[in-house]
Each structure stands twice: as C-alpha cells, then as structure tokens.
C-alpha cells in the first residue's frame, strides 16, 4: 500500500499540477460547509464532480473545507482512511484510499444517542482507532513493528459517515477527497492499551457490528488494508506527504471492517475480539 500512495501523490502533487485545478476559482467549500452544518445534501454535487477532476484538486478543496468546518467543530482530533476496500476504490476510480480529517466536535463517547437528521444521508460502519503516542517515530515508521511501537492503544470505534450528495448523484474519487472523505461523526469506546500486544496477535483480531441484536457486518482485522498496522502506516504516510501535523493523543481511523449500512433507528453495538484479553464493545443509539 505504501508504494501505491507514493505513486498517486508523485503524479497528482507534482510541480505545477495545482495550477491546472479549480481550487481558488470554484467555490466548493462555502456551499458544502453550509449544507454539512445544516445536515442537508450538497445540491452542487453534480457540478462539483465535473469540475473537481484530480486528487490534487480534491485535496486543495478539502484543505479549505476543513478550515471552514474547524470554526464550528474545533481543532484536528485525528485522521481517517476512507475507501479502503478494493470494491470501493474500483467504484470511485481510485488506486488507493482517501485521507480524511477528524475534528474534535465529530467525536462522541460510547453510549451516545444521535439523531439521524444530524446528517444528510448518514451511514454507519464498524471501524477501529489507533491512538498516536510518538508522532515522530510513527512518521518515520517503515514496518508494522515500528508502527505498533509508536501507538499506545487501539480504540473501538463506530464511524457515522455522510454521503452528503442528493440521491442519484455520483461521488467520484476527487469529489470524495474534497468532501473530506465523508467524515461526519464517530462514537469512541474505551482505549485498549497496546502494551503486550504483538503484530501477529493483532492480525488475528476481528469485529462484529449489530443493529438491534442483528449482525449486519463481521470482518477480521485484515479487512483494514490487510492489517490494522498497515492502515496506521498508510495514514502516517498520507499525513506526511500532505504536510499535515501529527500529534500525540490524536487518533487514526483505520477504515471499515465490513460494508457500511444506511443509518436506521435502533441500538448499534460494535464488538471486538483479539485486541485485548477480553472482548471490547462500543455502542450508540440512532433515532
């Protein structure tokens, strides 16, 4: 995965590439931020998909959008990897995942009750966080062992993303990048310290997502870019390449463990096995 990211960014962020993009001429962030904060679909999605046609352009619009959203949602709390499955990448015309930014106001505690109409077209999925302990070591990490040493906990996490476009409107890879990788909300469980955890042990972990007691998704940890620590490495590389800041205590959302589900009323429970001595859970209620 690391070589894929390098290949994409070496092409899209090459010198002069941004001069040929719409960023600075096409106002995406203002109407999108207004729609996002109002919890309604972004009506300009069709025009945006035709206008924002490169990942570099999407990244430039994303930077402007995140700056606007942070005025309402607070500082950067971490980062996320989106479109981590081969199927999602093929559908979006991508060669790899997309980097998103998590803001402080996007994160809720386990047990939270969340109104579905907080989002435009909200979805939920089983996810996993890794908490950064040593930013410099993580940015320099080149393998799973080094990545594991640079984090201090895995954290159960149910992500509530948002499709944000009107029904029938297409989402392209560059538009998803501009849309901050669909980040909306997420519910955070209790940290599971990595002390005593091994690379091999982590690869054997798994998770299950249930809605009102009915299992809707189940996947091994390998669903996260082949290994959770590979997802950690990918995000660290993407953050470094984009010139973003990584800080101790920030969290990294490692991707979807199973297919996403459209938001529906009920109790949602994520259960994790293998990340600690006993199963861990994270819960929320959608209404």
């Amino acid at each position: 995965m690391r070589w894929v990211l390098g290949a994409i960014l070496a092409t899209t962020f090459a010198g002069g590439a941004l001069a040929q993009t719409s960023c600075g001429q096409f106002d995406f962030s203002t109407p999108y931020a207004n729609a996002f904060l109002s919890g309604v679909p972004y009506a300009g999605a069709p025009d945006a998909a035709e206008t924002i046609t490169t990942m570099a352009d999407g990244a430039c619009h994303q930077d402007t959008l995140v700056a606007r959203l942070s005025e309402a949602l607070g500082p950067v709390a971490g980062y996320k990897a989106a479109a981590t499955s081969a199927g999602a990448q093929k559908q979006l015309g991508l060669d790899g995942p997309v980097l998103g930014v998590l803001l402080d106001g996007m994160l809720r505690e386990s047990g939270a009750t969340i109104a579905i109409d907080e989002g435009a077209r909200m979805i939920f999925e089983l996810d996993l966080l890794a908490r950064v302990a040593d930013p410099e070591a993580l940015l320099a990490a080149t393998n799973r062992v080094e990545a594991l040493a640079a984090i201090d906990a895995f954290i159960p996490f149910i992500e509530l993303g948002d499709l944000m476009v009107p029904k029938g409107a297409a989402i392209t890879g560059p538009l998803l990048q501009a849309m901050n990788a669909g980040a909306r909300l997420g519910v955070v469980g209790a940290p599971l310290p990595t002390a005593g955890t091994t690379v091999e042990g982590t690869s054997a972990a798994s998770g299950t997502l249930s809605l009102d007691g009915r299992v809707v998704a189940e996947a091994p940890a390998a669903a996260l870019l082949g290994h959770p620590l590979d997802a950690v490495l990918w995000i660290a590389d993407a953050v470094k390449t984009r010139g973003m800041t990584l800080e101790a205590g920030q969290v990294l959302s490692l991707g979807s463990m199973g297919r996403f589900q459209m938001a529906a009323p009920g109790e949602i429970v994520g259960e994790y096995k293998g990340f600690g001595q006993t199963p861990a859970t994270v819960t929320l209620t959608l209404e």
Side-chain angles (χ1 to χ4, degrees):
M1 275 301 179
R2 297 167 71 81
W3 70 266
V4 171
L5 174 69
I8 295 171
L9 296 179
T11 300
T12 58
F13 289 91
L18 287 177
Q20 302 173 18
T21 70
S22 69
C23 191
Q25 291 77 46
F26 177 71
D27 186 7
F28 168 80
S29 65
T30 301
Y32 185 90
N34 289 340
F36 183 92
L37 294 172
S38 299
V40 299
Y42 166 54
D47 287 341
E50 291 185 1
T51 303
I52 305 171
T53 57
T54 68
M55 296 302 287
D57 200 12
C60 183
H61 284 289
Q62 178 190 24
D63 289 343
T64 305
L65 173 64
V66 169
R68 288 186 180 277
L69 293 180
S70 66
E71 295 175 5
L73 299 175
V76 174
Y79 302 91
K80 63 169 284 188
T84 52
S85 72
Q89 291 166 18
K90 181 178 181 180
Q91 183 178 2
L92 293 165
L94 294 167
D95 294 320
V98 172
L99 181 69
V101 180
L102 300 175
L103 300 174
D104 188 66
M106 294 178 173
L107 303 181
R108 311 280 174 87
E109 293 185 1
S110 182
T113 296
I114 296 174
I116 294 175
D117 63 9
E118 283 195 46
R121 295 178 60 204
M122 198 134 68
I123 61 175
F124 66 93
E125 61 188 20
L126 188 69
D127 204 320
L128 182 71
L129 299 177
R131 188 171 63 193
V132 178
D134 188 335
E136 292 186 6
L138 184 53
L139 291 173
T142 60
N143 57 57
R144 295 171 181 174
V145 173
E146 293 172 350
L148 182 59
I151 63 175
D152 64 6
F154 287 111
I155 306 174
F157 185 56
I158 297 174
E159 182 177 6
L160 297 161
D162 202 332
L163 300 180
M164 273 301 295
V165 302
K167 290 183 179 180
I171 299 177
T172 63
L175 179 57
L176 180 63
Q177 182 76 82
M179 291 165 55
N180 192 30
R184 163 66 74 176
L185 295 168
V187 178
V188 181
L192 304 171
T194 55
T197 302
T198 65
V199 170
E200 294 74 17
T202 302
S203 66
S206 63
T208 302
L209 183 68
S210 301
L211 173 62
D212 284 340
R214 177 175 61 89
V215 175
V216 295
E218 188 171 9
L224 301 169
L225 293 183
H227 193 288
L229 294 170
D230 289 348
V232 170
L233 288 166
W234 186 89
I235 294 173
D237 269 357
V239 167
K240 179 168 57 177
T241 302
R242 288 279 296 273
M244 295 174 168
T245 301
L246 191 63
E247 299 178 3
Q250 289 183 335
V251 292
L252 311 179
S253 172
L254 305 183
S256 178
M257 298 175 69
R259 299 183 62 179
F260 72 74
Q261 311 292 317
M262 294 304 300
E267 183 183 33
I268 300 169
V269 179
E271 184 174 11
Y272 300 75
K273 297 180 180 179
F275 291 101
Q277 297 299 315
T278 58
T281 59
V282 57
T283 66
L284 73 127
T285 300
L286 287 178
E287 61 179 20

